[in-house]
Amino acid sequence: MSGESIEIAAREPCTCAALRRAARAVTAAYDDALKPVGLRVTQFAVLRLLDRLGPMPVTRLAAEAALERTTMGRNLDPLERRGLVRVAVGADDGRERVVALTDAGRAAIAAALPHWRTAQADIARRVEPAAVAALADALTAP
């Protein structure tokens, strides 16, 4: 790469870096909003997935949440310790771990929803929800 090319590349904004900064800022906003109920936004999302889809294996839950299986495990551990989810051995396969939402988990969702909605509204005031949806669709399309 020539000196001129390096100079141009150095001034060109990196889309990946910009999106990572934006994602961190959005995550921080939701995490701050959910602090009163002791949840992080990723944990809240896991609880909502389980509420909507029902009990499922950890591997499928990770896929539904677009997380690595190991990251899902790190999210489930504190939720299980708090009694918000139950992780049990699969009925058909003893190696499989199946996650289910508990009544305490449903109560945690109910307690967290007003805080989540506040963060949701704050982000919507900053960025048009249709623009967020269009960006997500464009970047996740095959």
Side-chain angles (χ1 to χ4, degrees), residues 32-96:
D32 286 347
L34 293 170
K35 219 175 249 179
V37 293
L39 290 173
R40 298 182 59 87
V41 70
T42 49
Q43 295 168 333
F44 177 70
V46 167
L47 294 176
R48 288 188 64 184
L49 275 171
L50 288 169
D51 190 41
R52 192 173 78 247
L53 301 175
M56 69 183 74
V58 173
T59 303
R60 178 173 169 222
L61 182 58
E64 293 286 345
L67 295 173
E68 296 292 326
R69 191 189 182 293
T70 55
T71 302
M72 180 55 71
R74 286 192 301 275
N75 278 283
L76 289 174
D77 288 342
L79 296 175
E80 185 177 26
R81 280 193 301 274
R82 288 179 59 187
L84 304 181
V85 300
R86 184 179 52 259
V87 181
V89 174
D92 297 333
D93 183 348
R95 297 169 296 175
E96 183 177 67

Short mmCIF file of all heavy atoms in Angstrom, two decimals, residues 32-96:
data_model
loop_
_atom_site.label_atom_id
_atom_site.label_comp_id
_atom_site.label_asym_id
_atom_site.label_seq_id
_atom_site.Cartn_x
_atom_site.Cartn_y
_atom_site.Cartn_z
N ASP A 32 -28.13 0.38 31.95
CA ASP A 32 -28.38 1.40 32.97
C ASP A 32 -29.85 1.43 33.35
O ASP A 32 -30.20 1.54 34.53
CB ASP A 32 -27.94 2.79 32.48
CG ASP A 32 -26.44 2.96 32.46
OD1 ASP A 32 -25.72 2.13 33.05
OD2 ASP A 32 -25.98 3.94 31.84
N ALA A 33 -30.73 1.34 32.37
CA ALA A 33 -32.17 1.38 32.64
C ALA A 33 -32.62 0.17 33.46
O ALA A 33 -33.50 0.29 34.31
CB ALA A 33 -32.95 1.45 31.33
N LEU A 34 -32.01 -0.98 33.21
CA LEU A 34 -32.41 -2.21 33.89
C LEU A 34 -31.72 -2.42 35.23
O LEU A 34 -32.06 -3.36 35.97
CB LEU A 34 -32.17 -3.42 32.97
CG LEU A 34 -33.05 -3.48 31.73
CD1 LEU A 34 -32.57 -4.57 30.78
CD2 LEU A 34 -34.51 -3.71 32.11
N LYS A 35 -30.77 -1.57 35.56
CA LYS A 35 -30.01 -1.71 36.81
C LYS A 35 -30.90 -1.85 38.04
O LYS A 35 -30.61 -2.67 38.93
CB LYS A 35 -29.07 -0.51 36.97
CG LYS A 35 -27.74 -0.89 37.54
CD LYS A 35 -26.82 0.31 37.55
CE LYS A 35 -25.73 0.04 36.52
NZ LYS A 35 -24.77 1.09 36.39
N PRO A 36 -32.01 -1.08 38.15
CA PRO A 36 -32.84 -1.21 39.36
C PRO A 36 -33.40 -2.61 39.60
O PRO A 36 -33.72 -2.96 40.74
CB PRO A 36 -33.99 -0.22 39.11
CG PRO A 36 -33.44 0.78 38.16
CD PRO A 36 -32.48 0.00 37.28
N VAL A 37 -33.52 -3.41 38.56
CA VAL A 37 -34.04 -4.78 38.73
C VAL A 37 -32.92 -5.82 38.66
O VAL A 37 -33.19 -7.02 38.70
CB VAL A 37 -35.15 -5.10 37.70
CG1 VAL A 37 -36.38 -4.27 37.98
CG2 VAL A 37 -34.68 -4.94 36.28
N GLY A 38 -31.68 -5.36 38.58
CA GLY A 38 -30.54 -6.27 38.64
C GLY A 38 -30.36 -7.15 37.42
O GLY A 38 -29.84 -8.26 37.53
N LEU A 39 -30.78 -6.66 36.26
CA LEU A 39 -30.60 -7.43 35.02
C LEU A 39 -29.79 -6.64 34.02
O LEU A 39 -29.82 -5.41 34.02
CB LEU A 39 -31.96 -7.75 34.38
CG LEU A 39 -32.87 -8.74 35.08
CD1 LEU A 39 -34.23 -8.79 34.40
CD2 LEU A 39 -32.24 -10.13 35.10
N ARG A 40 -29.08 -7.37 33.18
CA ARG A 40 -28.44 -6.77 32.02
C ARG A 40 -29.38 -7.02 30.84
O ARG A 40 -30.21 -7.93 30.88
CB ARG A 40 -27.06 -7.40 31.79
CG ARG A 40 -26.12 -7.14 32.98
CD ARG A 40 -24.73 -7.69 32.77
NE ARG A 40 -24.09 -7.14 31.58
CZ ARG A 40 -23.38 -6.01 31.55
NH1 ARG A 40 -23.23 -5.29 32.63
NH2 ARG A 40 -22.82 -5.60 30.43
N VAL A 41 -29.24 -6.23 29.80
CA VAL A 41 -30.17 -6.35 28.67
C VAL A 41 -30.08 -7.73 28.02
O VAL A 41 -31.10 -8.27 27.57
CB VAL A 41 -29.98 -5.20 27.65
CG1 VAL A 41 -28.67 -5.33 26.89
CG2 VAL A 41 -31.17 -5.14 26.71
N THR A 42 -28.91 -8.33 27.98
CA THR A 42 -28.81 -9.66 27.40
C THR A 42 -29.58 -10.68 28.24
O THR A 42 -30.24 -11.57 27.69
CB THR A 42 -27.34 -10.10 27.26
OG1 THR A 42 -26.66 -9.88 28.50
CG2 THR A 42 -26.63 -9.36 26.15
N GLN A 43 -29.52 -10.54 29.56
CA GLN A 43 -30.26 -11.45 30.43
C GLN A 43 -31.76 -11.24 30.28
O GLN A 43 -32.52 -12.21 30.22
CB GLN A 43 -29.84 -11.24 31.89
CG GLN A 43 -28.40 -11.60 32.16
CD GLN A 43 -27.93 -11.11 33.51
OE1 GLN A 43 -28.42 -10.12 34.04
NE2 GLN A 43 -26.95 -11.81 34.07
N PHE A 44 -32.17 -9.99 30.19
CA PHE A 44 -33.58 -9.67 29.98
C PHE A 44 -34.06 -10.28 28.67
O PHE A 44 -35.15 -10.87 28.60
CB PHE A 44 -33.77 -8.15 29.98
CG PHE A 44 -35.17 -7.69 29.71
CD1 PHE A 44 -36.17 -7.88 30.64
CD2 PHE A 44 -35.48 -7.06 28.52
CE1 PHE A 44 -37.48 -7.46 30.40
CE2 PHE A 44 -36.76 -6.61 28.27
CZ PHE A 44 -37.77 -6.82 29.21
N ALA A 45 -33.25 -10.17 27.63
CA ALA A 45 -33.62 -10.74 26.32
C ALA A 45 -33.77 -12.26 26.41
O ALA A 45 -34.68 -12.84 25.81
CB ALA A 45 -32.58 -10.36 25.27
N VAL A 46 -32.91 -12.91 27.17
CA VAL A 46 -33.00 -14.36 27.35
C VAL A 46 -34.30 -14.72 28.05
O VAL A 46 -35.01 -15.65 27.63
CB VAL A 46 -31.77 -14.89 28.14
CG1 VAL A 46 -31.99 -16.31 28.62
CG2 VAL A 46 -30.51 -14.80 27.28
N LEU A 47 -34.63 -13.99 29.10
CA LEU A 47 -35.88 -14.26 29.82
C LEU A 47 -37.08 -14.09 28.90
O LEU A 47 -38.00 -14.93 28.90
CB LEU A 47 -36.02 -13.32 31.03
CG LEU A 47 -34.99 -13.52 32.15
CD1 LEU A 47 -35.19 -12.46 33.24
CD2 LEU A 47 -35.04 -14.92 32.73
N ARG A 48 -37.07 -13.04 28.08
CA ARG A 48 -38.20 -12.81 27.17
C ARG A 48 -38.30 -13.90 26.10
O ARG A 48 -39.40 -14.31 25.72
CB ARG A 48 -38.08 -11.43 26.53
CG ARG A 48 -38.38 -10.35 27.56
CD ARG A 48 -38.48 -9.00 26.98
NE ARG A 48 -39.60 -8.94 26.05
CZ ARG A 48 -39.89 -7.88 25.32
NH1 ARG A 48 -39.15 -6.80 25.39
NH2 ARG A 48 -40.91 -7.87 24.50
N LEU A 49 -37.15 -14.37 25.61
CA LEU A 49 -37.17 -15.47 24.64
C LEU A 49 -37.81 -16.71 25.25
O LEU A 49 -38.65 -17.36 24.63
CB LEU A 49 -35.75 -15.81 24.18
CG LEU A 49 -35.18 -15.00 23.04
CD1 LEU A 49 -33.70 -15.31 22.86
CD2 LEU A 49 -35.94 -15.27 21.75
N LEU A 50 -37.40 -17.03 26.48
CA LEU A 50 -37.96 -18.21 27.14
C LEU A 50 -39.45 -18.03 27.41
O LEU A 50 -40.22 -18.99 27.31
CB LEU A 50 -37.21 -18.48 28.45
CG LEU A 50 -35.80 -19.03 28.28
CD1 LEU A 50 -35.06 -19.00 29.61
CD2 LEU A 50 -35.83 -20.44 27.70
N ASP A 51 -39.86 -16.82 27.73
CA ASP A 51 -41.28 -16.56 27.97
C ASP A 51 -42.08 -16.75 26.69
O ASP A 51 -43.18 -17.31 26.70
CB ASP A 51 -41.45 -15.14 28.52
CG ASP A 51 -42.85 -14.86 29.01
OD1 ASP A 51 -43.44 -15.75 29.66
OD2 ASP A 51 -43.35 -13.75 28.79
N ARG A 52 -41.51 -16.30 25.57
CA ARG A 52 -42.21 -16.38 24.29
C ARG A 52 -42.16 -17.79 23.67
O ARG A 52 -43.15 -18.27 23.14
CB ARG A 52 -41.61 -15.37 23.31
CG ARG A 52 -42.44 -15.19 22.06
CD ARG A 52 -41.96 -14.06 21.16
NE ARG A 52 -40.81 -14.46 20.38
CZ ARG A 52 -39.58 -13.97 20.52
NH1 ARG A 52 -39.33 -13.04 21.40
NH2 ARG A 52 -38.59 -14.39 19.78
N LEU A 53 -41.00 -18.46 23.78
CA LEU A 53 -40.82 -19.72 23.06
C LEU A 53 -40.92 -20.96 23.94
O LEU A 53 -40.99 -22.07 23.42
CB LEU A 53 -39.47 -19.71 22.35
CG LEU A 53 -39.26 -18.59 21.34
CD1 LEU A 53 -37.84 -18.61 20.79
CD2 LEU A 53 -40.28 -18.67 20.22
N GLY A 54 -40.88 -20.79 25.24
CA GLY A 54 -40.96 -21.93 26.15
C GLY A 54 -39.61 -22.59 26.37
O GLY A 54 -38.59 -22.14 25.84
N PRO A 55 -39.60 -23.65 27.18
CA PRO A 55 -38.33 -24.33 27.50
C PRO A 55 -37.65 -24.82 26.22
O PRO A 55 -38.31 -25.24 25.27
CB PRO A 55 -38.78 -25.52 28.35
CG PRO A 55 -40.13 -25.13 28.88
CD PRO A 55 -40.75 -24.27 27.83
N MET A 56 -36.32 -24.75 26.25
CA MET A 56 -35.56 -25.21 25.09
C MET A 56 -34.12 -25.53 25.48
O MET A 56 -33.64 -25.05 26.49
CB MET A 56 -35.58 -24.16 23.98
CG MET A 56 -34.81 -22.91 24.27
SD MET A 56 -34.93 -21.70 22.96
CE MET A 56 -36.59 -21.11 23.22
N PRO A 57 -33.44 -26.32 24.64
CA PRO A 57 -32.03 -26.62 24.91
C PRO A 57 -31.18 -25.35 24.84
O PRO A 57 -31.49 -24.40 24.10
CB PRO A 57 -31.65 -27.57 23.77
CG PRO A 57 -32.94 -28.13 23.27
CD PRO A 57 -33.96 -27.05 23.49
N VAL A 58 -30.11 -25.34 25.63
CA VAL A 58 -29.21 -24.19 25.68
C VAL A 58 -28.70 -23.84 24.28
O VAL A 58 -28.63 -22.66 23.92
CB VAL A 58 -28.02 -24.46 26.64
CG1 VAL A 58 -26.99 -23.34 26.57
CG2 VAL A 58 -28.51 -24.65 28.07
N THR A 59 -28.38 -24.82 23.48
CA THR A 59 -27.85 -24.57 22.13
C THR A 59 -28.87 -23.81 21.28
O THR A 59 -28.52 -22.85 20.59
CB THR A 59 -27.46 -25.90 21.46
OG1 THR A 59 -26.51 -26.57 22.29
CG2 THR A 59 -26.86 -25.68 20.09
N ARG A 60 -30.11 -24.21 21.33
CA ARG A 60 -31.15 -23.51 20.55
C ARG A 60 -31.38 -22.11 21.10
O ARG A 60 -31.55 -21.16 20.35
CB ARG A 60 -32.46 -24.29 20.54
CG ARG A 60 -33.52 -23.51 19.77
CD ARG A 60 -34.80 -24.26 19.55
NE ARG A 60 -35.80 -23.32 19.05
CZ ARG A 60 -37.05 -23.29 19.44
NH1 ARG A 60 -37.50 -24.18 20.30
NH2 ARG A 60 -37.88 -22.40 18.95
N LEU A 61 -31.38 -21.98 22.43
CA LEU A 61 -31.57 -20.67 23.05
C LEU A 61 -30.46 -19.72 22.61
O LEU A 61 -30.72 -18.56 22.28
CB LEU A 61 -31.61 -20.81 24.57
CG LEU A 61 -31.85 -19.54 25.38
CD1 LEU A 61 -33.16 -18.86 24.99
CD2 LEU A 61 -31.83 -19.88 26.87
N ALA A 62 -29.24 -20.22 22.58
CA ALA A 62 -28.11 -19.40 22.13
C ALA A 62 -28.33 -18.96 20.68
O ALA A 62 -28.11 -17.79 20.34
CB ALA A 62 -26.80 -20.17 22.26
N ALA A 63 -28.77 -19.87 19.83
CA ALA A 63 -29.02 -19.53 18.43
C ALA A 63 -30.14 -18.49 18.32
O ALA A 63 -30.02 -17.53 17.54
CB ALA A 63 -29.37 -20.79 17.63
N GLU A 64 -31.21 -18.67 19.06
CA GLU A 64 -32.33 -17.71 19.03
C GLU A 64 -31.90 -16.32 19.47
O GLU A 64 -32.39 -15.32 18.97
CB GLU A 64 -33.49 -18.21 19.91
CG GLU A 64 -34.18 -19.45 19.42
CD GLU A 64 -35.08 -19.22 18.22
OE1 GLU A 64 -35.41 -18.06 17.91
OE2 GLU A 64 -35.46 -20.22 17.58
N ALA A 65 -30.97 -16.27 20.43
CA ALA A 65 -30.49 -14.99 20.97
C ALA A 65 -29.31 -14.44 20.18
O ALA A 65 -28.82 -13.35 20.50
CB ALA A 65 -30.09 -15.16 22.43
N ALA A 66 -28.85 -15.16 19.17
CA ALA A 66 -27.69 -14.78 18.37
C ALA A 66 -26.45 -14.61 19.25
O ALA A 66 -25.69 -13.66 19.12
CB ALA A 66 -27.97 -13.51 17.56
N LEU A 67 -26.27 -15.57 20.17
CA LEU A 67 -25.12 -15.59 21.06
C LEU A 67 -24.36 -16.90 20.88
O LEU A 67 -24.96 -17.91 20.48
CB LEU A 67 -25.55 -15.48 22.53
CG LEU A 67 -26.22 -14.19 22.98
CD1 LEU A 67 -26.74 -14.34 24.41
CD2 LEU A 67 -25.27 -13.02 22.87
N GLU A 68 -23.09 -16.89 21.20
CA GLU A 68 -22.32 -18.13 21.24
C GLU A 68 -22.83 -18.95 22.42
O GLU A 68 -23.31 -18.41 23.42
CB GLU A 68 -20.83 -17.84 21.43
CG GLU A 68 -20.20 -17.07 20.28
CD GLU A 68 -20.13 -17.90 19.01
OE1 GLU A 68 -19.94 -19.13 19.09
OE2 GLU A 68 -20.26 -17.31 17.92
N ARG A 69 -22.72 -20.26 22.32
CA ARG A 69 -23.21 -21.14 23.39
C ARG A 69 -22.51 -20.83 24.71
O ARG A 69 -23.15 -20.81 25.76
CB ARG A 69 -23.02 -22.61 23.01
CG ARG A 69 -23.76 -23.51 23.97
CD ARG A 69 -23.43 -24.99 23.77
NE ARG A 69 -24.18 -25.83 24.66
CZ ARG A 69 -24.04 -25.87 25.96
NH1 ARG A 69 -23.20 -25.07 26.57
NH2 ARG A 69 -24.76 -26.69 26.71
N THR A 70 -21.21 -20.58 24.68
CA THR A 70 -20.48 -20.28 25.91
C THR A 70 -20.95 -18.95 26.52
O THR A 70 -21.05 -18.83 27.74
CB THR A 70 -18.96 -20.23 25.67
OG1 THR A 70 -18.69 -19.29 24.62
CG2 THR A 70 -18.42 -21.60 25.28
N THR A 71 -21.24 -17.97 25.67
CA THR A 71 -21.77 -16.69 26.16
C THR A 71 -23.14 -16.91 26.79
O THR A 71 -23.45 -16.31 27.82
CB THR A 71 -21.85 -15.67 25.01
OG1 THR A 71 -20.55 -15.52 24.44
CG2 THR A 71 -22.37 -14.33 25.49
N MET A 72 -23.95 -17.76 26.18
CA MET A 72 -25.26 -18.06 26.75
C MET A 72 -25.09 -18.67 28.13
O MET A 72 -25.81 -18.32 29.07
CB MET A 72 -26.05 -19.00 25.84
CG MET A 72 -27.42 -19.36 26.37
SD MET A 72 -28.48 -17.94 26.77
CE MET A 72 -28.84 -17.34 25.13
N GLY A 73 -24.14 -19.57 28.27
CA GLY A 73 -23.89 -20.18 29.57
C GLY A 73 -23.55 -19.14 30.63
O GLY A 73 -24.05 -19.20 31.76
N ARG A 74 -22.73 -18.16 30.26
CA ARG A 74 -22.36 -17.09 31.20
C ARG A 74 -23.57 -16.23 31.56
O ARG A 74 -23.64 -15.69 32.65
CB ARG A 74 -21.24 -16.23 30.63
CG ARG A 74 -19.88 -16.91 30.66
CD ARG A 74 -18.75 -15.95 30.37
NE ARG A 74 -18.86 -15.30 29.07
CZ ARG A 74 -18.43 -15.80 27.93
NH1 ARG A 74 -17.84 -16.98 27.92
NH2 ARG A 74 -18.56 -15.13 26.80
N ASN A 75 -24.53 -16.10 30.66
CA ASN A 75 -25.75 -15.35 30.95
C ASN A 75 -26.72 -16.17 31.81
O ASN A 75 -27.44 -15.60 32.63
CB ASN A 75 -26.43 -14.92 29.65
CG ASN A 75 -25.83 -13.68 29.07
OD1 ASN A 75 -26.09 -12.58 29.55
ND2 ASN A 75 -25.00 -13.82 28.05
N LEU A 76 -26.74 -17.46 31.60
CA LEU A 76 -27.68 -18.30 32.34
C LEU A 76 -27.26 -18.52 33.80
O LEU A 76 -28.13 -18.63 34.67
CB LEU A 76 -27.84 -19.66 31.65
CG LEU A 76 -28.60 -19.65 30.33
CD1 LEU A 76 -28.55 -21.03 29.69
CD2 LEU A 76 -30.03 -19.19 30.54
N ASP A 77 -25.97 -18.60 34.07
CA ASP A 77 -25.51 -18.89 35.43
C ASP A 77 -26.11 -17.95 36.47
O ASP A 77 -26.71 -18.42 37.45
CB ASP A 77 -23.98 -18.90 35.50
CG ASP A 77 -23.36 -20.10 34.82
OD1 ASP A 77 -24.08 -21.10 34.57
OD2 ASP A 77 -22.15 -20.04 34.51
N PRO A 78 -26.00 -16.62 36.32
CA PRO A 78 -26.59 -15.75 37.34
C PRO A 78 -28.12 -15.82 37.36
O PRO A 78 -28.73 -15.67 38.42
CB PRO A 78 -26.10 -14.35 36.97
CG PRO A 78 -25.63 -14.43 35.56
CD PRO A 78 -25.25 -15.87 35.32
N LEU A 79 -28.73 -16.05 36.21
CA LEU A 79 -30.19 -16.18 36.16
C LEU A 79 -30.64 -17.43 36.92
O LEU A 79 -31.65 -17.40 37.64
CB LEU A 79 -30.69 -16.23 34.71
CG LEU A 79 -30.46 -14.97 33.89
CD1 LEU A 79 -30.90 -15.19 32.44
CD2 LEU A 79 -31.17 -13.77 34.50
N GLU A 80 -29.88 -18.49 36.79
CA GLU A 80 -30.21 -19.73 37.51
C GLU A 80 -29.97 -19.54 39.02
O GLU A 80 -30.81 -19.95 39.83
CB GLU A 80 -29.38 -20.89 36.97
CG GLU A 80 -29.75 -22.23 37.58
CD GLU A 80 -28.98 -23.39 36.99
OE1 GLU A 80 -27.86 -23.18 36.49
OE2 GLU A 80 -29.51 -24.51 37.04
N ARG A 81 -28.86 -18.89 39.39
CA ARG A 81 -28.58 -18.64 40.81
C ARG A 81 -29.70 -17.82 41.46
O ARG A 81 -30.03 -18.04 42.62
CB ARG A 81 -27.25 -17.91 41.00
CG ARG A 81 -26.03 -18.82 40.92
CD ARG A 81 -24.78 -18.14 41.42
NE ARG A 81 -24.43 -16.93 40.71
CZ ARG A 81 -23.73 -16.87 39.59
NH1 ARG A 81 -23.28 -17.98 39.03
NH2 ARG A 81 -23.45 -15.71 39.02
N ARG A 82 -30.28 -16.89 40.71
CA ARG A 82 -31.37 -16.06 41.23
C ARG A 82 -32.73 -16.75 41.16
O ARG A 82 -33.73 -16.21 41.60
CB ARG A 82 -31.45 -14.75 40.44
CG ARG A 82 -30.31 -13.81 40.75
CD ARG A 82 -30.38 -12.53 39.95
NE ARG A 82 -31.61 -11.78 40.17
CZ ARG A 82 -31.95 -10.70 39.47
NH1 ARG A 82 -31.16 -10.25 38.52
NH2 ARG A 82 -33.08 -10.08 39.73
N GLY A 83 -32.77 -17.94 40.58
CA GLY A 83 -34.02 -18.68 40.49
C GLY A 83 -34.94 -18.19 39.38
O GLY A 83 -36.14 -18.50 39.38
N LEU A 84 -34.38 -17.43 38.41
CA LEU A 84 -35.20 -16.89 37.32
C LEU A 84 -35.38 -17.90 36.19
O LEU A 84 -36.35 -17.81 35.43
CB LEU A 84 -34.60 -15.60 36.79
CG LEU A 84 -34.37 -14.50 37.85
CD1 LEU A 84 -33.78 -13.26 37.21
CD2 LEU A 84 -35.64 -14.20 38.60
N VAL A 85 -34.44 -18.81 36.07
CA VAL A 85 -34.54 -19.91 35.11
C VAL A 85 -34.16 -21.21 35.83
O VAL A 85 -33.48 -21.19 36.86
CB VAL A 85 -33.63 -19.72 33.86
CG1 VAL A 85 -33.98 -18.46 33.11
CG2 VAL A 85 -32.16 -19.75 34.23
N ARG A 86 -34.59 -22.30 35.24
CA ARG A 86 -34.22 -23.62 35.72
C ARG A 86 -33.52 -24.33 34.57
O ARG A 86 -34.03 -24.34 33.44
CB ARG A 86 -35.48 -24.38 36.17
CG ARG A 86 -35.22 -25.74 36.77
CD ARG A 86 -36.51 -26.44 37.22
NE ARG A 86 -37.52 -26.50 36.16
CZ ARG A 86 -38.59 -25.71 36.06
NH1 ARG A 86 -38.81 -24.77 36.95
NH2 ARG A 86 -39.46 -25.84 35.07
N VAL A 87 -32.37 -24.90 34.84
CA VAL A 87 -31.63 -25.65 33.84
C VAL A 87 -31.61 -27.11 34.29
O VAL A 87 -31.17 -27.42 35.39
CB VAL A 87 -30.19 -25.11 33.67
CG1 VAL A 87 -29.44 -25.90 32.59
CG2 VAL A 87 -30.19 -23.62 33.34
N ALA A 88 -32.13 -27.98 33.43
CA ALA A 88 -32.24 -29.40 33.77
C ALA A 88 -31.68 -30.24 32.64
O ALA A 88 -31.55 -29.78 31.50
CB ALA A 88 -33.70 -29.76 34.03
N VAL A 89 -31.40 -31.46 32.97
CA VAL A 89 -30.92 -32.43 31.98
C VAL A 89 -32.08 -32.77 31.05
O VAL A 89 -33.22 -32.92 31.50
CB VAL A 89 -30.39 -33.70 32.69
CG1 VAL A 89 -30.02 -34.78 31.68
CG2 VAL A 89 -29.21 -33.36 33.57
N GLY A 90 -31.79 -32.86 29.75
CA GLY A 90 -32.81 -33.18 28.76
C GLY A 90 -33.41 -34.55 28.99
O GLY A 90 -32.72 -35.47 29.42
N ALA A 91 -34.68 -34.69 28.70
CA ALA A 91 -35.39 -35.95 28.90
C ALA A 91 -34.89 -37.04 27.96
O ALA A 91 -34.76 -38.20 28.34
CB ALA A 91 -36.89 -35.75 28.71
N ASP A 92 -34.57 -36.67 26.72
CA ASP A 92 -34.17 -37.66 25.72
C ASP A 92 -32.66 -37.86 25.65
O ASP A 92 -32.20 -38.90 25.20
CB ASP A 92 -34.68 -37.25 24.34
CG ASP A 92 -36.19 -37.22 24.29
OD1 ASP A 92 -36.83 -37.97 25.06
OD2 ASP A 92 -36.74 -36.45 23.48
N ASP A 93 -31.90 -36.85 26.05
CA ASP A 93 -30.45 -36.90 25.92
C ASP A 93 -29.85 -36.34 27.21
O ASP A 93 -29.99 -35.16 27.51
CB ASP A 93 -30.01 -36.07 24.72
CG ASP A 93 -28.52 -36.12 24.46
OD1 ASP A 93 -27.77 -36.61 25.33
OD2 ASP A 93 -28.10 -35.67 23.38
N GLY A 94 -29.20 -37.18 27.95
CA GLY A 94 -28.61 -36.78 29.23
C GLY A 94 -27.51 -35.74 29.11
O GLY A 94 -27.14 -35.12 30.09
N ARG A 95 -26.98 -35.55 27.89
CA ARG A 95 -25.94 -34.53 27.68
C ARG A 95 -26.54 -33.16 27.42
O ARG A 95 -25.86 -32.15 27.53
CB ARG A 95 -25.05 -34.92 26.50
CG ARG A 95 -24.28 -36.23 26.73
CD ARG A 95 -23.65 -36.69 25.45
NE ARG A 95 -24.76 -37.00 24.51
CZ ARG A 95 -24.60 -37.34 23.24
NH1 ARG A 95 -23.41 -37.40 22.73
NH2 ARG A 95 -25.63 -37.61 22.48
N GLU A 96 -27.82 -33.13 27.09
CA GLU A 96 -28.49 -31.89 26.74
C GLU A 96 -28.96 -31.17 28.01
O GLU A 96 -29.43 -31.80 28.95
CB GLU A 96 -29.69 -32.21 25.84
CG GLU A 96 -30.44 -31.02 25.35
CD GLU A 96 -31.57 -31.43 24.42
OE1 GLU A 96 -32.53 -32.08 24.89
OE2 GLU A 96 -31.47 -31.13 23.22
#
